[in-house]
Amino acid sequence: MGNKNSCCAYSTPPSRRKDVPQNFEEYLPEGEESIGNLQHISEREIEDWDTDPSLHPKAGTLFLERSKISLENGLSRKKSQNHISELRGSGLKKSSSCSTIYLDDSTVSQPNLKNTVKCVSLAIYYHIKNRTSERYMEIFDEKKHPLTRDGVPQDYDQHNPEHKQIYRFIRTLFNSAQLTAECAIITLVYLERLLTYADIDITPGNWKRIVLGAILLSSKVWDDQAVWNVDYCQILKDITVEDMNELERQFLEMLQFNINVPSSVYAKYYFDLRSLAEANDLAFPGEPLSKERAQKLEAMSRICEDRITAEALKNGLKKWSSLDNVNAMGNIAPRRSVAILS
């Protein structure tokens, strides 16, 4: 932690949270108040938690709501020619039968990396496309803090990025830093938590730096061996370590240092991403269930079942058991159902 390139090495400047962020007022709609004084998490009202999708498991995710706006208006993302040809050539959707079960290789505990990154990119695409305001903060402004030495065009913030452009940016970071699919889901949780807490929106002029800050935090929270800030400077050649440190610091402050993601919230985001993929013809490809994979799934299921049972017994709850495992006399072997695997 003492490395000079670490985000924790430099001395933290005096807190500016009591002041209005520089140049922030000019982006506020008329009649709105500044959000410079962000509430601490302990000061948030109870009703705030019920409507915060990044904390409450029953609150609807923001990206799914915004995606419905386009779908209700008959609009959706532009599909590439390769994607259109795949849809035409795939024919009817594969369905499971008595002899063959089709499953994709993505589960809530082990998501598929490529498909998850595509879905997260699509969620960000709808966030930008159906934003409700132009409120943003200077630290995320790519005109004032460009990621490349050449900067960005003057009309950069006037054109919404396409889904494939967002996907390429996130894919480059994930492939270069060797991040996992779980980090992509946590990234989306942090992004929506930022929009909720700081009351800003993700726009064409700030989406890259917001996504970069969310990826930076999620990789450090999720991975045991996190990627250092200086490593991202090797991926984005023209960005400095000092800029990365400041981006991380202000992102954390706007999250009120609340980086906890409950398992129920993580699962909600995973399944909502799958719903988003299905609604946009971005379904995960299914493959016939093999005998080896069926055995692996059964083993994982039994490990989870044994753990839940042990916790229930530890808490004084009565042990439950399915009919297959009932052994009244102690001499009858557990019954196993016969499955036909092709």
Side-chain angles (χ1 to χ4, degrees), residues 154-267:
Q154 287 299 319
D155 61 344
Y156 178 76
D157 54 353
Q158 303 299 319
H159 306 286
N160 293 336
E162 295 294 338
H163 172 225
K164 60 182 180 181
Q165 181 183 352
I166 302 173
Y167 170 67
R168 281 198 300 263
F169 178 77
I170 300 178
R171 182 190 61 186
T172 299
L173 292 176
F174 269 72
N175 290 346
S176 301
Q178 298 182 352
L179 302 179
T180 61
E182 293 87 349
C183 281
I185 299 176
I186 301 297
T187 295
L188 186 58
V189 176
Y190 287 162
L191 187 149
E192 295 205 341
R193 186 171 296 176
L194 174 75
L195 302 184
T196 303
Y197 282 25
D199 195 20
I200 61 177
D201 228 325
I202 184 167
T203 69
N206 68 7
W207 70 270
K208 283 188 178 181
R209 290 183 63 84
I210 288 181
V211 171
L212 177 60
I215 292 176
L216 184 66
L217 286 183
S218 64
S219 64
K220 292 185 176 183
V221 172
W222 183 263
D223 291 339
D224 294 331
Q225 296 181 341
V227 182
W228 288 29
N229 292 2
V230 68
D231 296 323
Y232 286 100
C233 297
Q234 302 299 320
I235 303 172
L236 303 170
K237 302 291 185 181
D238 299 328
I239 194 171
T240 63
V241 180
E242 291 75 18
D243 188 15
M244 292 289 295
N245 293 343
E246 182 66 12
L247 176 64
E248 179 184 16
R249 185 184 69 81
Q250 291 204 31
F251 204 110
L252 273 170
E253 284 187 357
M254 282 181 279
L255 290 187
Q256 302 167 10
F257 297 93
N258 180 16
I259 56 176
N260 178 54
V261 178
S263 58
S264 55
V265 171
Y266 172 88

Side-chain angles (χ1 to χ4, degrees), residues 58-323:
K58 292 185 178 180
T61 52
L62 299 180
F63 72 86
L64 200 59
E65 292 298 322
R66 293 190 176 183
S67 68
K68 292 178 181 178
I69 298 176
S70 294
L71 296 177
E72 289 173 357
N73 295 333
L75 301 175
S76 61
R77 65 188 179 91
K78 293 182 180 179
K79 302 179 177 63
S80 64
Q81 292 299 322
N82 292 336
H83 186 207
I84 294 175
S85 62
E86 288 176 1
L87 292 175
R88 290 175 178 174
S90 59
L92 298 177
K93 182 179 178 180
K94 296 180 179 179
S95 302
S96 301
S97 64
C98 296
S99 60
T100 305
I101 300 176
Y102 287 96
L103 291 177
D104 57 64
D105 62 346
S106 182
T107 62
V108 67
S109 59
Q110 294 180 334
N112 178 278
L113 176 59
K114 181 178 180 181
N115 291 331
T116 302
V117 171
K118 280 187 176 181
C119 292
V120 170
S121 304
L122 185 59
I124 296 173
Y125 166 80
Y126 280 120
H127 262 298
I128 300 173
K129 182 179 178 63
N130 297 320
R131 61 188 182 278
T132 57
S133 71
E134 299 291 335
R135 296 162 58 99
Y136 63 96
M137 300 184 69
E138 181 184 340
I139 187 63
F140 300 123
D141 189 352
E142 201 172 338
K143 285 187 177 180
K144 298 181 179 180
H145 301 278
L147 299 181
T148 60
R149 189 171 303 171
D150 299 333
V152 296
Q154 287 299 319
D155 61 344
Y156 178 76
D157 54 353
Q158 303 299 319
H159 306 286
N160 293 336
E162 295 294 338
H163 172 225
K164 60 182 180 181
Q165 181 183 352
I166 302 173
Y167 170 67
R168 281 198 300 263
F169 178 77
I170 300 178
R171 182 190 61 186
T172 299
L173 292 176
F174 269 72
N175 290 346
S176 301
Q178 298 182 352
L179 302 179
T180 61
E182 293 87 349
C183 281
I185 299 176
I186 301 297
T187 295
L188 186 58
V189 176
Y190 287 162
L191 187 149
E192 295 205 341
R193 186 171 296 176
L194 174 75
L195 302 184
T196 303
Y197 282 25
D199 195 20
I200 61 177
D201 228 325
I202 184 167
T203 69
N206 68 7
W207 70 270
K208 283 188 178 181
R209 290 183 63 84
I210 288 181
V211 171
L212 177 60
I215 292 176
L216 184 66
L217 286 183
S218 64
S219 64
K220 292 185 176 183
V221 172
W222 183 263
D223 291 339
D224 294 331
Q225 296 181 341
V227 182
W228 288 29
N229 292 2
V230 68
D231 296 323
Y232 286 100
C233 297
Q234 302 299 320
I235 303 172
L236 303 170
K237 302 291 185 181
D238 299 328
I239 194 171
T240 63
V241 180
E242 291 75 18
D243 188 15
M244 292 289 295
N245 293 343
E246 182 66 12
L247 176 64
E248 179 184 16
R249 185 184 69 81
Q250 291 204 31
F251 204 110
L252 273 170
E253 284 187 357
M254 282 181 279
L255 290 187
Q256 302 167 10
F257 297 93
N258 180 16
I259 56 176
N260 178 54
V261 178
S263 58
S264 55
V265 171
Y266 172 88
K268 175 186 69 177
Y269 272 79
Y270 169 81
F271 288 109
D272 279 2
L273 284 171
R274 292 194 65 117
S275 300
L276 179 69
E278 184 174 353
N280 288 268
D281 295 326
L282 201 64
F284 295 10
E287 299 292 338
L289 178 64
S290 63
K291 183 177 180 180
E292 292 75 16
R293 191 176 178 210
Q295 292 173 342
K296 183 179 179 180
L297 289 174
E298 183 180 14
M300 293 173 61
S301 176
R302 288 197 173 278
I303 292 175
C304 182
E305 179 181 335
D306 293 341
R307 184 172 66 251
I308 294 176
T309 302
E311 292 177 357
L313 293 174
K314 184 179 179 180
N315 295 330
L317 300 178
K318 185 177 180 181
K319 184 180 183 299
W320 53 267
S321 180
S322 66
L323 183 61

